[in-house]
Amino acid sequence: MVEIQVHHELLQTGKIKNVICPNCKNRENLEYRVYGGISRILIVPTAPLRRLTKVFCNSCQKEFKLKELSDDIKQAVKYERSKNPIKTPIWQFTGIIILLSILFFGIYTGIEMTKLEKEYIKLPLKNDIYKTNIKGKYSTLKVYKVTKDSVYILLNKFSLDSYKGLEEINIEENYSEIKVLSKRELQKLYDENLIYEVNRE
Ligand SMILES: [Zn+2]
């Protein structure tokens, strides 16, 4: 399991002018405190945490949550904070940026692969390898010869219950029987996903 570390810290503090502490009724001794921080996954900063604002009274040492306070005080805090807004540096999003990059790279590569495979199926070449999944039985086919309308396919005499290990049965001596397919039939096998991957050296 990858652990997410959360680290809170005091980001900013400042005086709030002309407000009265709801606890000790002292004036001019309130300050706001903004807490924040970042979450990290494996030390990579992933995202900034939600900011939390609290109000502290220096006379009675009581800390208040913002929602416990009157609108007057909330407004005053808002006003003070607006004078000195806290910026979120972009590096705090490093993890999210990395994850998104990996995701988009994966999608992009997938799209490019699919484009290539479509071309390979349209214009087969000798020694193209097709991975097949027919009702849960995995196997490979190998293109032996291509004519104008037909494809001569070598059938693999072995099949597996999983896609793992297909590389190991993809060896010369397993291909003995030949079947002739029209290019249209080949296209159909690909469209129906019975041929689910095309490899070309
Ligand atoms: Zn107080």
Side-chain angles (χ1 to χ4, degrees):
M1 269 301 285
V2 176
E3 209 177 312
I4 300 174
Q5 295 111 32
V6 173
H7 179 65
H8 287 272
E9 58 189 298
L10 183 62
L11 296 181
Q12 195 180 71
T13 174
K15 285 258 169 232
I16 319 168
K17 288 178 190 131
N18 298 315
V19 285
I20 296 168
C21 171
N23 188 46
C24 68
K25 314 296 176 198
N26 253 303
R27 194 181 274 271
E28 304 293 346
N29 270 327
L30 290 181
E31 63 178 45
Y32 70 90
R33 293 173 174 182
V34 183
Y35 296 91
I38 50 173
S39 57
R40 291 173 186 270
I41 297 177
L42 299 172
I43 77 161
V44 177
T46 308
L49 300 175
R50 209 162 64 91
R51 299 261 161 77
L52 203 64
T53 306
K54 289 184 176 177
V55 170
F56 182 76
C57 173
N58 283 300
S59 296
C60 67
Q61 305 291 307
K62 193 169 155 57
E63 193 174 63
F64 305 90
K65 288 176 186 162
L66 205 55
K67 64 177 179 205
E68 301 169 332
L69 297 165
S70 68
D71 285 344
D72 284 359
I73 299 179
K74 281 183 203 161
Q75 282 303 320
V77 170
K78 204 172 167 185
Y79 172 70
E80 292 299 330
R81 283 198 56 189
S82 71
K83 288 197 251 173
N84 192 9
I86 305 171
K87 293 196 183 79
T88 303
I90 190 86
W91 64 261
Q92 294 196 353
F93 295 96
T94 308
I96 285 180
I97 294 166
I98 290 172
L99 287 176
L100 285 179
S101 310
I102 292 170
L103 186 68
F104 283 114
F105 181 74
I107 291 169
Y108 173 78
T109 310
I111 291 169
E112 289 303 303
M113 285 295 291
T114 308
K115 269 194 215 162
L116 267 182
E117 283 188 349
K118 281 182 179 161
E119 284 170 32
Y120 292 166
I121 281 289
K122 275 206 178 66
L123 295 165
L125 276 186
K126 184 177 163 70
N127 291 332
D128 280 355
I129 301 289
Y130 303 139
K131 290 185 178 172
T132 58
N133 173 5
I134 295 160
K135 294 178 181 156
K137 289 285 178 193
Y138 292 83
S139 192
T140 59
L141 303 170
K142 188 170 184 172
V143 177
Y144 177 68
K145 196 170 95 178
V146 183
T147 63
K148 190 165 175 289
D149 305 304
S150 307
V151 192
Y152 291 69
I153 302 263
L154 288 160
L155 309 180
N156 194 319
K157 58 184 172 194
F158 292 105
S159 66
L160 303 170
D161 292 328
S162 155
Y163 65 90
K164 287 175 203 152
L166 273 185
E167 305 303 330
E168 277 134 68
I169 64 163
N170 175 28
I171 49 174
E172 214 53 55
E173 48 267 46
N174 289 352
Y175 295 109
S176 43
E177 201 184 329
I178 285 189
K179 193 175 156 72
V180 185
L181 293 177
S182 69
K183 284 190 177 168
R184 186 189 268 179
E185 284 171 319
L186 181 69
Q187 182 68 52
K188 195 160 174 265
L189 288 177
Y190 182 75
D191 291 342
E192 289 171 357
N193 212 26
L194 299 174
I195 290 174
Y196 69 91
E197 193 180 309
V198 182
N199 292 316
R200 180 172 288 177
E201 298 268 299

